[in-house]
Structure formats: structure tokens, C-alpha cells
């Protein structure tokens, strides 16, 4: 796959700078089309099958296009090709980076390989007695591209106002999806009484929603590559609203559980797609800040929900069903915003829209975008989105160990939904609303971690520039190590300061500063480490990580009550803190030996060794 991308990039460079590379074979031997309308010749399809074509005088050379315009259409006379009007792209790093990114996005889309378009069946006839039409010029001549580095259609060239508006809408959509995952936890005791089941059964409402996070990206990720980012982000909030309203009016427990799972399945769409949208809009200089803001919405949402749900439940005029009504209303707002104001950001799909307009206005049906050549291949879909992530999870030490580490941390995020009520509602006798306010300690810790990562971005960019733009994954490890130590410290602090209820409540609340800092620092930089380590296969690495951690996140709440009641809050937190400390050496090992580990990997990219000054001379 990388060879295909490199080949296409080289062709793009040749088209952009013909004088530098010399004439290409296609330039020296242009195809000609005789005027004889009935001259027969044989050509072969991709499968080698010979077919008879009749050349027609209506065929034309790509170097001379003359269209008869209708009303409202455009006439093109002697249209210049892109290489005639654009400056040399090799002088513009931004242009080359975008070409490489676009070609990579296309080649990594499910169905982009030639394999998906091959067929062993005989080629069908044209029908109605028609002969096969004449061969067209080189297909690349009809492929639309962006018009230079300043093309306003490219999402990175949008105005700052438009970027910020889009980011705010998507941050809100992501917040609603993550917020909904834990708002249900405030109603567990009430629902257990309404449907006459024990608390562990109703806890499934939270677990099944998080389980939807594990399976959803398997569908949403390829859909966003095939049809663009906008479609999933419109479908998801609408479906979330429907299923959450269904939970709100449910007459039996099984309806609640089934609808919670599907709400999570659709709620996973913004978690899987929004980070990619930010990557489409922001370049390397600002992308780190954008992804940090996105991560904050993912992890502050579950911690904002408990106190809101608590106040709703204790309000005699509302009740537990209003927790779901509110999520449904918030989802409807996200749906309306995305439907009317969200524009497509995925470059291959933007080019499809451009090609569609050019076809309509020029009446030239041959104009198309590269992405329109794709046909979905089911075998490749299964391999890329299920088989390959699982193989990487089993065979890649980096993917396996980081997934175990992040799964443990993510599971504790949802386990805190049980631990904090036991500490502040049982030991400190707070009501469900007030008892959820100590989660703000963790939220502040997460904001602190996000601030630290943002402040370190300028230093990271300087190191990246000094290394020729090649990222070194181990640059991410210091924050992961610091976060791991802080997270373990937060667990010890919470357990031993809050298990009696006699220490002032602010003391266990402040433990959230360490827990929240550790949670955000580990997650944000560990995900970046995976991306830097695998680049072309980063999507598969993240898919494996997402599947594993979401599955663990769904399991942890189910045994949390038994563990804390059986061991006691202090010893349960001590055990979890010791496990967190045992996992701290994982990023330390990667910091010391990460490069050696990747040398043995079948998926990690291999960069050419930098030449010394003597070799360059």
C-alpha cells in the first residue's frame, strides 16, 4: 500500500514539474484518435479479455477540449492541464503534504485497491447492437484536484471563524455522546426499584452503552472514509435521540437495555469520526491543540453527568425518565446543528462534490474524483476493520501493552461512577445531586493535563522540525509516565482519605486532581504514541485499542459494588493503585526500547537513516 502511495506521489510531482523530471512517457507519446468513424481495432480489459472497439470522430484529445455550452454552463477552449498553470509543487511543502495525505487517504479507503474491481466474468456487451466505444485518454487527465495550496474548498483553508464554529458543534456532539454514557448511572437505584430487580442488573444500562462504543467504530470508521465525515455525524445524533426517547418511555427493563446498547452504538460515531474531522481542518502546527480539546470533551462528559442526573432523580417533578428525555433533546439539537451547518471536511469527498459540479456544468461525464473509482470490497472491509486490528492486538507488543494499560484506566473511569457515590453519598451522607459535585476535582485535573500538553506543543514542534518532520513516538512517553504515577497516587489518596467519612470532604475531592490529570495525560499521549508508531496502520491500531478498552469499560461497573463492599473502600483503592503502579513501567520500557521493538514490527513504518554531514559532502 505504501508503494502505491509513493508511486502516485511521484507522478504528482512529475506532473507539477515537468522540466525538473524530464518528459514522461505519456508526454512523449500522446494518443491520437483518427477521424475515421468506423475503424475497428482490438483492445484488452484489465483481465486480458480482448474486445472490439470502433473509433469515432467524436473522440478528442485531452489537450484540446471544446464544449458547446448550454445556458448556465461553461465552455472550455484549449483547456490547459494542471501542470501548465501551477508552479512547481516541490517548492511548497504544504502542497506536497496535502497531495501525500490525499493519496494516502484514498489508498487506505476500503475498496481502493485494484483487487476490488477485478472480475473473472466475461465482459458484458454494450447492448442494442452498439459496439464498444473508443478508448478514452489517460484517466488521470479527468481526475479533479485542489487548485493549489490556497484552494478555499480545502478544509485547512477555511476561515478561522468557520473552523471554530465547526469545532464547537462537533465538541458539543461528542460531549452529548459521552455525557449520555454515565447520566444513566444516577438512576440505577431508582430503576432497580421500579422494575423490581437488583442494582447489578440495572447497571447493565451503563455497561451496554459503553459496549456500543466497542462495536460502533467498526462501522463508522469505514463509512466516514467512503462517504465522508458529515453523513455519520448527521445519522448518529438523530438515532441517539430516537433510542434515548425510547428508553424514556420504556414499559419494561428489556426495552431499556436494548435501546441503551443501540444508543451507545450510534453514540460512538462522534468518538470515532470527530478527531478525524479535526485532522482534516488543522495542520500539524495546530492539530495537537484541537485533538486535546476533543479528548477533553470525551472524558469530561462522563464526569459531568452524575451530579446533573442526581439532581434530576431527587426532583419530585421530574424523575428518572427525564435523564433520558434530556439526552434526547440534547441529541436533537446536535442533529439540527450538524444537518444545517456542518460542511464536509474530508478532502476525497470534497473533490467528489467538485467533480459532480464540473460534470453538471460542463456536460463532460468523464470528469471524476479519485474516490469515485472505489467499489466496496467486503473481504477487504472485514480484514481492515476486524481481522487486522485483532492481529495487531495479538502480535504487536506496543498495541497489546498500551491497550491493556488504557483499558485499565478507562475501566476505572466508569468504576469511579460507583466509587464516588459510595464515598460521598454513603460515607459523607450527601444526596445524589450534591454527591456528584466532587467529580469536578477530576474534571479540573483533566483540564490541567490538557493545559500541560498544549504548553508542550511548541517544544514538540521544534523537535519535529529539527528531525526533518519525522515523529519520534518516544517524545510522548514523559507525559504518560507522569500521568501513570499521578493516577496511582490519586487512587491511594481517595481510598485512605474517604473511607471513614470523618476527614473533611474536600480532602478526597482533591484526590481527583491527580486522578483526572493522570487519566487525561495517559490517554491523550498514549493514543498519539500509537499514531506516531504505526502511521499508515494507525487506524487499525486505534481500532484494536478502542475495542479492548470499551469492552473492559463495560465490564468494570458490573463488579464495582461487590469489590468495594467486600474489600472496603480503602483496600479496594489500594489494590487498584498497586495495579496502576505495576503498569507504569510500560511507557518507561517504550521510552528506552521503543525503537528496537518497532524494528521487529510488520506494521511500523521504516524511515531512511539520516545521512551524516560527511556522507552528504
Amino acid at each position: 500500500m505504501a508503494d502505491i502511495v509513493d508511486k502516485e506521489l511521484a507522478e504528482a510531482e512529475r506532473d507539477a514539474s515537468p522540466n525538473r523530471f524530464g518528459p514522461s512517457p505519456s508526454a512523449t507519446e500522446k494518443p491520437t484518435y483518427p477521424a475515421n468513424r468506423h475503424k475497428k481495432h482490438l483492445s484488452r480489459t484489465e483481465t486480458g479479455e480482448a474486445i472490439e472497439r470502433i473509433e469515432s470522430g467524436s473522440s478528442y484529445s485531452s489537450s484540446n477540449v471544446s464544449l458547446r455550452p448550454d445556458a448556465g454552463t461553461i465552455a472550455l477552449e484549449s483547456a490547459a492541464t494542471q501542470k501548465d498553470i501551477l508552479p512547481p509543487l516541490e517548492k511548497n511543502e504544504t502542497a506536497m503534504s496535502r497531495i501525500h495525505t490525499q493519496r494516502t487517504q484514498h489508498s487506505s479507503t476500503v475498496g481502493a485497491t485494484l483487487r476490488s474491481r477485478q472480475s473473472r466474468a466475461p465482459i458484458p456487451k454494450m447492448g442494442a447492437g452498439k459496439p464498444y466505444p473508443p478508448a478514452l485518454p489517460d484517466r488521470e487527465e479527468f481526475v479533479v484536484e485542489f487548485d493549489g495550496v490556497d484552494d478555499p474548498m480545502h478544509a485547512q483553508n477555511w476561515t478561522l471563524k468557520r473552523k471554530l464554529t465547526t469545532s464547537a458543534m462537533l465538541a458539543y456532539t461528542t460531549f452529548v455522546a459521552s455525557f449520555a454514557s454515565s447520566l444513566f448511572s444516577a438512576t440505577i437505584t431508582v430503576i432497580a426499584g421500579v422494575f423490581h430487580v437488583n442494582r447489578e442488573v440495572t447497571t447493565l444500562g451503563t455497561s451496554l452503552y459503553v459496549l456500543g462504543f466497542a462495536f460502533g467504530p467498526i462501522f463508522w470508521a469505514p463509512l466516514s472514509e467512503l462517504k465522508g465525515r458529515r453523513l455519520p455525524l448527521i445519522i448518529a445524533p438523530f438515532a441517539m435521540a430516537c433510542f434515548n426517547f425510547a428508553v424514556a418511555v420504556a414499559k419494561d427493563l428489556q426495552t431499556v437495555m436494548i435501546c441503551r446498547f443501540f444508543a451507545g452504538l450510534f453514540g460512538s460515531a462522534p468518538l470515532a469520526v470527530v478527531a478525524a474531522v479535526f485532522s482534516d481542518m488543522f495542520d500539524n502546527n495546530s492539530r495537537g491543540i484541537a485533538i486535546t480539546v476533543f479528548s477533553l470533551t470525551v472524558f469530561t462528559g462522563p464526569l459531568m453527568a452524575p451530579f446533573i442526573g442526581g439532581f434530576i432523580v431527587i426532583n419530585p417533578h421530574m424523575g428518572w425518565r427525564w435523564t433520558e428525555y434530556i439526552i434526547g433533546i440534547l441529541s436533537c439539537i446536535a442533529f439540527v446543528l450538524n444537518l444545517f451547518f456542518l460542511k464536509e471536511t474530508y478532502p476525497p469527498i470534497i473533490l467528489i462534490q467538485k467533480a459532480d459540479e464540473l460534470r453538471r456544468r460542463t456536460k463532460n461525464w468523464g470528469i471524476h474524483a479519485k474516490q469515485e473509482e472505489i467499489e466496496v470490497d467486503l473481504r477487504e472491509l472485514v480484514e481492515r476493520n476486524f481481522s487486522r486490528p485483532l492481529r495487531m492486538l495479538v502480535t504487536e507488543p506496543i498495541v497489546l501493552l498500551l491497550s491493556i494499560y488504557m483499558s485499565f484506566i478507562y475501566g476505572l473511569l466508569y468504576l469511579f461512577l460507583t466509587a464516588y457515590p459510595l464515598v460521598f453519598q454513603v460515607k459523607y451522607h450527601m444526596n445524589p445531586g450534591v454527591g456528584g459535585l466532587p467529580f469536578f476535582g477530576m474534571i479540573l485535573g483533566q483540564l490541567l493535563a490538557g493545559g500541560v500538553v498544549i504548553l508542550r506543543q511548541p517544544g514538540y514542534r521544534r523537535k519535529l522540525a529539527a528531525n526533518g518532520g519525522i515523529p519520534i513516538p518516544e517524545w510522548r512517553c514523559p507525559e504518560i509516565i507522569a500521568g501513570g504515577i499521578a493516577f496511582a497516587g490519586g487512587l491511594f489518596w481517595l481510598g485512605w482519605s474517604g473511607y471513614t467519612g470523618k476527614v473533611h470532604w474536600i480532602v478526597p475531592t482533591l484526590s481527583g486532581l491527580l486522578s483526572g490529570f493522570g487519566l487525561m495525560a495517559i490517554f491523550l499521549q498514549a493514543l498519539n504514541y500509537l499514531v506516531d508508531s504505526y502511521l499508515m496502520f494507525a487506524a487499525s491500531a486505534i481500532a484494536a485499542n478502542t475495542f479492548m478498552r470499551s469492552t473492559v469499560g463495560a465490564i468494570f461497573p458490573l463488579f464495582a459494588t461487590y469489590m468495594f463492599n467486600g474489600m472496603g473502600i480503602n483496600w479496594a483503592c489500594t489494590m487498584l493503585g498497586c495495579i496502576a503502579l505495576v503498569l507504569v513501567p510500560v511507557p518507561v520500557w517504550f521510552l528506552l526500547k521503543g525503537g528496537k521493538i518497532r524494528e521487529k514490527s510488520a506494521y511500523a513504518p521504516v524511515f531512511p537513516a539520516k545521512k551524516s554531514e560527511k556522507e552528504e559532502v
Side-chain angles (χ1 to χ4, degrees):
M1 189 69 69
D3 293 338
I4 297 174
V5 175
D6 292 340
K7 181 180 179 182
E8 292 181 342
L9 184 58
E11 291 175 355
E13 291 176 340
R14 182 183 296 278
D15 288 340
S17 310
N19 295 331
R20 177 184 175 189
F21 292 95
S24 62
S26 59
T28 58
E29 300 177 6
K30 290 186 178 179
T32 58
Y33 302 92
N36 185 355
R37 305 176 64 88
H38 302 288
K39 183 177 180 180
K40 296 183 180 181
H41 70 280
L42 294 177
S43 62
R44 295 185 179 274
T45 65
E46 292 178 351
T47 57
E49 182 179 355
I51 60 174
E52 182 183 38
R53 298 184 184 273
I54 298 181
E55 292 189 350
S56 171
S58 62
S59 59
Y60 52 84
S61 170
S62 62
S63 62
N64 185 13
V65 181
S66 179
L67 299 176
R68 183 179 60 193
D70 296 329
T73 61
I74 298 174
L76 303 178
E77 294 288 346
S78 299
T81 61
Q82 190 178 30
K83 61 187 178 183
D84 297 323
I85 59 177
L86 289 183
L89 290 183
E90 72 273 6
K91 295 181 180 180
N92 193 308
E93 294 182 1
T94 302
M96 295 310 304
S97 175
R98 287 181 183 174
I99 290 175
H100 187 275
T101 300
Q102 177 193 334
R103 300 284 180 163
T104 302
Q105 287 171 332
H106 169 75
S107 63
S108 61
T109 303
V110 173
T113 61
L114 186 63
R115 179 184 62 184
S116 63
R117 296 193 294 275
Q118 290 179 342
S119 175
R120 296 180 180 178
I123 185 170
K125 295 183 178 299
M126 288 292 294
K130 295 181 180 179
Y132 291 105
L136 291 174
D138 185 2
R139 184 171 59 183
E140 287 296 320
E141 297 289 341
F142 294 86
V143 174
V144 296
E145 303 286 358
F146 287 105
D147 188 21
V149 296
D150 298 322
D151 191 335
M153 295 187 70
H154 198 289
Q156 290 186 11
N157 295 326
W158 288 356
T159 63
L160 181 61
K161 178 181 178 181
R162 187 173 179 182
K163 287 183 180 181
L164 293 178
T165 302
T166 302
S167 299
M169 286 192 301
L170 298 182
Y172 170 76
T173 304
T174 306
F175 177 83
V176 171
S178 60
F179 178 82
S181 67
S182 61
L183 188 62
F184 186 87
S185 66
T187 68
I188 287 175
T189 302
V190 177
I191 295 177
V194 171
F195 293 107
H196 308 292
V197 294
N198 60 40
R199 180 184 172 89
E200 283 65 41
V201 173
T202 52
T203 302
L204 281 170
T206 299
S207 296
L208 288 172
Y209 189 97
V210 179
L211 194 63
F213 285 176
F215 292 97
I218 296 175
F219 172 75
W220 298 117
L223 181 63
S224 73
E225 294 177 351
L226 289 168
K227 300 299 181 181
R229 318 296 194 195
R230 186 172 182 268
L231 182 62
L233 294 173
I234 290 175
I235 295 174
F238 177 77
M240 277 185 62
C242 294
F243 283 109
N244 280 294
F245 284 138
V247 174
V249 299
K251 302 300 181 183
D252 49 54
L253 187 61
Q254 54 265 38
T255 302
V256 172
M257 298 303 168
I258 293 172
C259 291
R260 281 289 292 177
F261 171 77
F262 282 102
L265 194 72
F266 285 94
S268 66
L271 275 67
V273 176
V274 169
V277 175
F278 286 168
S279 297
D280 295 337
M281 291 193 298
F282 299 99
D283 58 17
N284 291 331
N285 293 325
S286 53
R287 187 176 297 135
I289 297 175
I291 299 300
T292 300
V293 174
F294 162 73
S295 299
L296 287 172
T297 62
V298 172
F299 293 108
T300 57
L303 303 178
M304 290 283 287
F307 82 93
I308 296 176
F311 282 120
I312 292 173
V313 168
I314 64 176
N315 189 324
H317 302 290
M318 299 185 76
W320 73 270
R321 294 184 186 273
W322 266 100
T323 60
E324 303 305 311
Y325 281 127
I326 287 176
I327 297 174
I329 294 170
L330 295 176
S331 300
C332 286
I333 295 173
F335 167 69
V336 172
L337 290 174
N338 294 346
L339 178 64
F340 290 105
F341 301 107
L342 180 62
K343 303 298 182 183
E344 184 58 62
T345 64
Y346 192 46
I349 303 301
I350 293 176
L351 291 177
I352 287 180
Q353 297 170 352
K354 180 179 180 178
D356 181 66
E357 182 179 3
L358 286 173
R359 283 195 301 269
R360 185 174 64 254
R361 300 181 69 176
T362 65
K363 308 303 182 184
N364 185 343
W365 55 265
I367 296 174
H368 68 284
K370 200 74 175 174
Q371 194 79 354
E372 292 180 286
E373 301 173 4
I374 289 175
E375 297 176 11
V376 178
D377 183 59
L378 182 60
R379 183 176 66 179
E380 189 178 352
L381 180 68
V382 172
E383 176 185 347
R384 183 167 297 173
N385 292 278
F386 188 74
S387 174
R388 183 192 295 161
L390 290 183
R391 289 201 308 271
M392 292 183 70
L393 187 63
V394 174
T395 61
E396 293 292 311
I398 291 176
V399 178
L400 177 61
L401 292 177
L402 277 183
S403 295
I404 291 173
Y405 197 179
M406 295 170 70
S407 297
F408 174 74
I409 302 298
Y410 194 71
L412 290 189
L413 172 65
Y414 287 94
L415 186 138
F416 282 136
L417 300 178
T418 299
Y420 269 57
L422 287 175
V423 171
F424 295 101
Q425 295 179 34
V426 176
K427 299 298 181 180
Y428 286 89
H429 309 291
M430 297 179 180
N431 64 46
V434 176
L437 291 174
F439 280 107
F440 274 95
M442 289 187 66
I443 293 174
L444 291 176
Q446 291 181 358
L447 294 175
L448 179 62
V452 169
V453 172
I454 291 174
L455 290 175
R456 283 179 54 86
Q457 282 298 306
Y460 179 83
R461 287 198 294 265
R462 286 193 296 270
K463 290 191 291 186
L464 189 64
N467 199 48
I470 298 176
I472 302 299
E474 283 67 42
W475 292 341
R476 311 284 189 179
C477 288
E479 288 93 340
I480 305 177
I481 297 170
I485 296 172
F487 190 80
L491 287 170
F492 293 132
W493 186 344
L494 174 67
W496 290 98
S497 64
Y499 78 102
T500 62
K502 297 178 180 179
V503 180
H504 194 278
W505 59 268
I506 194 62
V507 177
T509 298
L510 291 176
S511 70
L513 293 174
L514 290 182
S515 300
F517 177 88
L519 182 107
M520 180 56 61
I522 293 170
F523 258 89
L524 187 58
Q525 295 299 67
L527 284 176
N528 284 326
Y529 188 94
L530 285 175
V531 173
D532 292 344
S533 296
Y534 294 99
L535 295 182
M536 287 287 292
F537 297 102
S540 296
I542 292 176
N545 179 274
T546 301
F547 179 80
M548 184 173 182
R549 63 181 167 87
S550 296
T551 303
V552 173
I555 294 173
F556 267 45
L558 298 177
F559 64 80
T561 302
Y562 292 110
M563 183 178 70
F564 281 104
N565 288 336
M567 299 181 64
I569 294 172
N570 52 343
W571 290 111
C573 287
T574 299
M575 182 190 71
L576 296 174
C578 290
I579 296 175
L581 283 178
V582 169
L583 292 172
V584 169
V586 170
V588 176
W589 185 44
F590 291 155
L591 178 64
L592 300 176
K593 301 293 184 180
K596 296 292 185 182
I597 297 173
R598 288 193 300 278
E599 288 178 0
K600 302 177 182 179
S601 170
Y603 299 96
V606 178
F607 296 103
K610 295 184 67 175
K611 295 182 179 180
S612 63
E613 295 182 359
K614 294 182 179 179
E615 290 176 335
E616 292 178 353
V617 173

